[in-house]
Amino acid sequence: MTGNPSLSLDLVSDVRQLVAFPFMVNALEAGTIVAVLAAIVGWYMVLRRQSFAGHTLAVMAFPGAAGAALAGLPTALGYYVACGAAALAMGGRSRPTMRGYRTETATIGTVQTVGLAAGYLFLSLNTEVLSGFETLLFGTFLGVTQNHVLVLLAVAVVALAALALVARPLLFATLDRDVAEASGVPAGALDVGFLLILSVAVAATSQVTGALLVFALLVAPPAAAQAITVRPLPGLVLSVAFGLVIVWLGLGVAYFSPYPVGFWTTAFAFGLYVVVRVGVFVGRGGARAAWTTRRGGWVVASPRAGS
Amino acid sequence: MFAHEFVRNAYLAGTFIALACGSVGWFVVLRGQLFAGDALSHVAFVGAIAAAVFAVNEQVGLFAVTLAVGAGMAALGRRAQADDVVIGIVFAWILGIGLLLITVLATSSGGGNGITAVNALFGSIYALSAGASSVAAVIAAAVTAAVVVVFRPLLLSTLDSELAGARGVPVRALGAGFLVLVAAVTAESTEAVGALLLLGLLSAPAGAAHRMTANPYRGLALSAGLAVVAMWGGLALSYGIPSLPASSAIIGLAAAIYAIAAVVGRRGRAPRRA
């Protein structure tokens, strides 16, 4: 295959062009792994209303990478260490309940900026990484090696296995914390545990999408899925499907266009969310119905509804 | 160190920006809207890049984009408080557009673009000119004055929106107006401490003040005061240690203040709830 890739109406030839280069195959594999991981972990994150905590973990990838570059360690290691440390620093304090909520957001915000300030300090101490600075924040699918893909796969399997272990009690504790605690679910430990799983997912995702664009995969697919159904299993499946569509479309279109993949993935994520919301809005007959389903759906599903 | 003009400019702008961040931040933390502030700060970054692409004045671009998105978020949210999923998706999308603009910038003119992006993200308070710092000081002072003017109704509508509504306080309009104020502060401080770090000036002094006192008047004053302390100390530290960027020093000090307040506050009285 020579020359620039050109888009044609022939889908088969398009796909053949897409996988003609090994780097693109690696990127597609990495994107697929990350999309599945982010869609599943993100489903819980959206349900627990922890987007702010998720975003904070995401930007921790920046000090992680800058610090690792300064210390001469592998970048990926820095990602995981920084994200894990931030998860522990936020600890149980980012509980999604209203208890002392205000100071909690202040803690999250402070953790986030301390991380960023540290990252900026590392960056200014070590002028060499400045070249990769935008990649750090906005990611690249194009530098992914076969090795990266294997590490990502291992990380994703471990994170998803951990999540599967706590899936039911975590859902219970998320939906009705008080009843869950009363029936012996260790809600506090689950909070910290989930933040750690989230930090792993975010660190993995940000290696591909960059620290600032993680939300395209972490929030949009689950949020769209939850707008359609409140049931956990179909919701998770939908969420994964949406994540895959966003990544594949984003990578595919970016390959044929001069504009960066980060732009395309976020644009598709946003578009998908808007389309789904509008579709639900129209399908359920107007604003009122859409609101009640989305807002009240979980109340109906939770054991408390009767009391 | 005050013999240098750039230091005087930095202190002039910095003081007023810290005052504005501290006082607006106190309400942001009380209302649990830090995530909205965070999103707006990223929007401000995109605004700066957009201004560079379309060759308009950076400050104009910043303000236009940030205020527009702040007003939009206020309009979309139910109680003029945008939902956290909507914030997350919208700001990821806006950042994606920012990335597109960076690419356009890099391919169209060439040279010096990385610097624009880095400055917008991390600020360059020591690079402010005399004119820019006076403008910044005036705008920041106006924002602070606005917070003081709406202090009582805003406090009531934050703590008990139904009671406020019953007493004739325009709760929705106040909420929307407040988001616009947050947007103004964000656009304002992007130049000084940068889009990525200004969240620290909004959250850390305010969080510390909330832990130290439950009295709203004292809290607001304390929050603004602590922000100014962090600003002055950070500027001096960074002047003394050239390899330490000003923004990192300011945020580091603010965070240290918050950490101290968190430890002391936990030992003393219970954190406020309202």
Side-chain angles (χ1 to χ4, degrees), chain A residues 12-306:
Chain A
V12 178
S13 102
D14 288 345
V15 170
R16 204 173 292 144
Q17 286 187 55
L18 207 55
V19 294
F21 296 101
F23 78 86
M24 202 55 201
V25 177
N26 288 341
L28 281 168
E29 283 169 1
T32 307
I33 295 169
V34 158
V36 172
L37 179 64
I40 293 177
V41 177
W43 189 83
Y44 273 97
M45 187 189 80
V46 169
L47 191 62
R48 293 167 65 83
R49 309 221 154 267
Q50 285 189 319
S51 300
F52 189 34
H55 174 61
T56 299
L57 289 173
V59 297
M60 284 308 134
F62 167 57
L70 189 63
L73 297 168
T75 315
L77 187 68
Y79 277 44
Y80 292 113
V81 169
C83 289
L88 290 178
M90 290 190 284
R93 253 168 259 135
S94 48
R95 221 170 274 146
T97 52
M98 285 307 288
R99 224 180 303 159
Y101 187 72
R102 278 149 199 146
T103 43
E104 276 158 21
T105 57
T107 309
I108 299 176
T110 309
V111 167
Q112 176 179 341
T113 37
V114 169
L116 285 171
Y120 187 42
L121 181 61
F122 297 150
L123 199 65
S124 62
L125 291 178
N126 180 357
T127 44
E128 285 164 42
V129 280
L130 191 65
S131 55
F133 169 71
E134 275 173 29
T135 312
L136 218 62
L137 291 175
F138 293 110
T140 171
F141 282 89
L142 303 183
V144 186
T145 62
Q146 195 62 45
N147 227 347
H148 272 133
V149 174
L150 288 179
V151 173
L152 274 181
L153 185 64
V155 167
V157 167
V158 171
L160 287 180
L163 188 62
L165 268 182
V166 297
R168 285 185 63 87
L170 185 63
L171 188 61
F172 191 11
T174 303
L175 297 181
D176 196 330
R177 193 183 180 84
D178 294 336
V179 176
E181 271 182 332
S183 38
V185 174
L190 280 177
D191 284 339
V192 180
F194 176 70
L195 271 184
L196 282 175
I197 295 176
L198 181 61
S199 71
V200 170
V202 160
T205 312
S206 63
Q207 287 176 54
V208 178
T209 61
L212 290 180
L213 303 180
V214 168
F215 265 24
L217 294 178
L218 207 61
V219 174
Q226 286 183 13
I228 293 177
T229 174
V230 292
R231 288 166 58 211
L233 208 58
L236 282 170
V237 172
L238 261 182
S239 173
V240 169
F242 286 153
L244 290 176
V245 166
I246 292 171
V247 165
W248 288 341
L249 273 181
L251 275 171
V253 174
Y255 183 71
F256 291 107
S257 85
Y259 299 116
V261 74
F263 165 69
W264 289 113
T265 35
T266 47
F268 283 123
F270 181 72
L272 185 114
Y273 180 72
V274 169
V275 166
V276 165
R277 284 301 299 275
V278 170
V280 169
F281 185 86
V282 172
R284 300 218 169 123
R288 228 190 136 67
W291 264 120
T292 3
T293 332
R294 220 170 71 80
R295 288 273 142 158
W298 282 112
V299 179
V300 176
S302 94
R304 236 202 218 153

Side-chain angles (χ1 to χ4, degrees), chain B residues 44-45 48-49 58 115-123 190-191 193-196:
Chain B
F45 160 66
I49 302 291
E58 179 174 316
I115 305 300
T116 312
V118 171
N119 278 347
L121 283 171
F122 295 106
T190 296
E191 281 179 296
V193 289
L196 285 182

Side-chain angles (χ1 to χ4, degrees), chain B residues 138-159:
Chain B
V138 168
I139 295 175
V143 169
T144 315
V147 172
V148 172
V149 167
V150 298
F151 179 76
R152 284 181 60 91
L154 185 60
L155 184 66
L156 182 60
S157 73
T158 303
L159 296 181

